C-alpha cells in the first residue's frame, strides 16, 4: 500500500506520538497549519494536495475547502456533532464522513445531572442569595425549584449513549425516569428498568425535569418550542447538554418569565459562540437580572471537558480514521442521508 497522509490541521496536541502508534508506519500524520481561530484557508496547497484523511474539530469544512483536497477519502469529525461538515459536498466526491460519538459520555451525563440537581436542590439559588448585597437571611428560600427527587418525573429526549448514562444516574438518585426516542427498538425500557413514552407530548407532560440528549438533525431542529414547553408540568426544570438547535431559547425565556418553568441549565445555545444580538435569555443571564438569579445556569459548551475526555478524542479519532481509511471498516460512518 502506498504511503497515506492524514492531517489534523489545528495542532490540538503537542506531538503525534499517539497517532503514529495507532496508524503504524503506513501513514504520515501531520498536525497544525490552521489554528482553530481561523479557517482551513491557512493551509498550503502543497499540504492539501497529499491529504487522504482529514480530522476536523473546530473548523468548518465547506465545499470550497473540500475542493482543495483532491485525494481526500475520509473525514473524521473529532466529536459527536457533524453539522460543521458539508456532508452533501463530501458525498458528491465519494468522501466518507465519520464522527466520534463516545468520547465524553460520562462527562456530559455528569454535567446534565449536576445541572438538574443543582437547580432542584436550590444550590444555585441559595448561592446567589447568599452573595447578594445585602445577603439574604441565613435560612432556606422557599422556591418552586426545590423538590424531592423521588416525587419527580425525569424525562429524557434521546436515549443514545449519553441519554442512557443520564437515565442510570437519574434512576440512582430516585427520580422516576422516562424517555422518548422513536428510533430505539422495544425492550430498551425493560433492560434499564425505566419507562418509555410513546410520544414527545406524553413524555413532556410528566417531566418535572426535562433533559435533552438529541443530536442536531432535520428531525430534531426546533422540536421543543413554546407548544412543547407548555406541556411540561408547572414548575418544571429544563436541561440541555446536547445541541442548542433542538430547543427554542426564546420560548424557554418566555416560560421562565411566566413562572411556568422554574429553572433551566444550558450547556448549549442555538448559535455558538453567541453573536449580537444575543438571545434575550443569555443577555438577561449575563446582566444578572434579578428575576432569573439562581434559576438559570449557562455553561459554554463545556460539559465534555476533562483531561480524560481530550485524550479520548485524540485516540478515538485516530482509531476511527485507521479503521476506515486503512482497514476498510465502517466504524462510526455517518451515512449521507443520516440527519
Amino acid at each position: 500500500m502506498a504511503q497515506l497522509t492524514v492531517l489534523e490541521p489545528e495542532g490540538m496536541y503537542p506531538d503525534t506520538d499517539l497517532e503514529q502508534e495507532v496508524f503504524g508506519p503506513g501513514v504520515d500524520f501531520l498536525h497544525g497549519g490552521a489554528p482553530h481561530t481561523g479557517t482551513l484557508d491557512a493551509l498550503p496547497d502543497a499540504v492539501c494536495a497529499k491529504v487522504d484523511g482529514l480530522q476536523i474539530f473546530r473548523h468548518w469544512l465547506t465545499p470550497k475547502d473540500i475542493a482543495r483536497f483532491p485525494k481526500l477519502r475520509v473525514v473524521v469529525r473529532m466529536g459527536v456533532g457533524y453539522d460543521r461538515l458539508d456532508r452533501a459536498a463530501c458525498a458528491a466526491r465519494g468522501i466518507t464522513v465519520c464522527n466520534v460519538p463516545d468520547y465524553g459520555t460520562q462527562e456530559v451525563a455528569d454535567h446534565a445531572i449536576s445541572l438538574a440537581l443543582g437547580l432542584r436542590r436550590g444550590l444555585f439559588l441559595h448561592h446567589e442569595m447568599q452573595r447578594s448585597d445585602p445577603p439574604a437571611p441565613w435560612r432556606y428560600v422557599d422556591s418552586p425549584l426545590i423538590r424531592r427527587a423521588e416525587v419527580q418525573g425525569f424525562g429524557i429526549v434521546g436515549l443514545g449513549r449519553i441519554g442512557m448514562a443520564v437515565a442510570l444516574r437519574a434512576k440512582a438518585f430516585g427520580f422516576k425516569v422516562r424517555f422518548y426516542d422513536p428510533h430505539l427498538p422495544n425492550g430498551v425500557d425493560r433492560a434499564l428498568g425505566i419507562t418509555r413514552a410513546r410520544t414527545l407530548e406524553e413524555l413532556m407532560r410528566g417531566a418535572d425535569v426535562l433533559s435533552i440528549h438529541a443530536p442536531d438533525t432535520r428531525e430534531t431542529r426546533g422540536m421543543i418550542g413554546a407548544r412543547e414547553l407548555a406541556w411540561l408540568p408547572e414548575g418544571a426544570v429544563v436541561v440541555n447538554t446536547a445541541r442548542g438547535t433542538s430547543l427554542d431559547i426564546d420560548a424557554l425565556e418566555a416560560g421562565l418569565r411566566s413562572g411556568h418553568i422554574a429553572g433551566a441549565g444550558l450547556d448549549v445555545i442555538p448559535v455558538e459562540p453567541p453573536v449580537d444580538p444575543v438571545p434575550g435569555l443569555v443577555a438577561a443571564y449575563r446582566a444578572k437580572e434579578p428575576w432569573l438569579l439562581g434559576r438559570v445556569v449557562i455553561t459554554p459548551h463545556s460539559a465534555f471537558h476533562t483531561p480524560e475526555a481530550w485524550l479520548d478524542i485524540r485516540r478515538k479519532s485516530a482509531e476511527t480514521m485507521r479503521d476506515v481509511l486503512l482497514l476498510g471498516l465502517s466504524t462510526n460512518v455517518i451515512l449521507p442521508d443520516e440527519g
Side-chain angles (χ1 to χ4, degrees):
M1 179 184 294
Q3 190 81 4
L4 298 173
T5 299
V6 174
L7 170 66
E8 185 274 285
E10 288 188 37
M12 292 169 57
Y13 300 97
D15 56 54
T16 64
D17 294 347
L18 184 150
E19 289 81 6
Q20 290 297 171
E21 174 192 334
V22 170
F23 292 132
V27 171
D28 183 19
F29 184 77
L30 309 178
H31 74 150
H36 75 271
T37 51
T39 69
L40 295 177
D41 291 343
L43 293 171
D45 290 336
V47 171
C48 297
K50 60 183 179 180
V51 171
D52 302 281
L54 186 60
Q55 296 184 185
I56 293 289
F57 186 61
R58 298 181 185 90
H59 286 118
W60 294 82
L61 187 65
T62 68
K64 182 187 76 170
D65 298 321
I66 293 168
R68 298 188 65 210
F69 296 93
K71 293 178 60 184
L72 187 60
R73 292 164 49 193
V74 178
V75 176
V76 172
R77 162 71 172 105
M78 302 173 71
V80 181
Y82 40 84
D83 49 301
R84 292 173 179 266
L85 314 179
D86 191 312
R87 291 190 295 130
C90 287
R93 276 271 310 275
I95 298 167
T96 301
V97 174
C98 310
N99 70 342
V100 179
D102 58 341
Y103 73 90
T105 301
Q106 301 99 311
E107 286 84 358
V108 180
D110 289 347
H111 202 88
I113 287 292
S114 297
L115 289 171
L117 290 175
L119 289 163
R120 276 302 189 203
R121 291 303 310 131
L123 301 186
F124 306 123
L125 177 64
H126 288 102
H127 166 72
E128 293 291 356
M129 297 295 287
Q130 286 303 313
R131 68 175 188 164
S132 60
D133 186 19
W138 189 256
R139 67 186 299 274
Y140 59 84
V141 177
D142 285 318
S143 168
L145 274 173
I146 301 170
R147 304 214 28 219
R148 178 180 288 180
E150 68 182 19
V151 304
Q152 297 180 70
F154 194 107
I156 298 173
V157 178
L159 202 73
R161 296 168 181 85
I162 295 171
M164 194 174 298
V166 170
L168 294 174
R169 285 157 171 75
K171 183 180 175 185
F173 278 102
F175 290 98
K176 297 178 287 187
V177 181
R178 300 195 308 162
F179 76 94
Y180 170 69
D181 191 326
H183 301 289
L184 291 184
N186 291 335
V188 174
D189 47 343
R190 294 183 177 236
L192 296 176
I194 60 179
T195 303
R196 182 172 202 153
R198 292 295 167 181
T199 66
L200 180 60
E201 181 175 359
E202 179 187 337
L203 179 83
M204 301 281 282
R205 290 197 180 278
D208 300 289
V209 176
L210 179 72
S211 193
I212 301 170
H213 300 282
D216 178 51
T217 67
R218 290 187 295 269
E219 180 184 3
T220 64
R221 285 171 207 141
M223 71 182 298
I224 299 176
R227 180 188 66 161
E228 290 77 17
L229 291 173
W231 291 337
L232 292 171
E234 190 80 17
V237 161
V238 176
V239 171
N240 190 6
T241 55
R243 286 291 181 268
T245 53
S246 61
L247 174 64
D248 184 333
I249 196 170
D250 294 327
L252 177 64
E253 179 189 5
L256 286 160
R257 285 186 181 274
S258 72
H260 181 72
I261 297 172
L266 305 178
D267 186 55
V268 291
I269 58 176
V271 177
E272 298 177 0
V275 296
D276 290 328
V278 300
L281 182 59
V282 177
Y285 175 78
R286 289 176 167 178
K288 299 182 180 179
E289 293 184 7
W291 69 273
L292 52 58
L293 288 183
R295 297 177 60 202
V296 174
V297 180
I298 298 176
T299 53
H301 207 140
S302 60
F304 77 97
H305 175 64
T306 62
E308 294 80 9
W310 281 103
L311 183 59
D312 276 353
I313 291 172
R314 183 179 187 182
R315 179 172 291 280
K316 290 175 181 295
S317 295
E319 290 174 345
T320 299
M321 181 64 75
R322 174 203 61 198
D323 288 359
V324 180
L325 183 62
L326 273 69
L327 304 180
L329 303 178
S330 298
T331 304
N332 299 331
V333 168
I334 306 297
L335 299 177
D337 59 351
E338 193 170 333

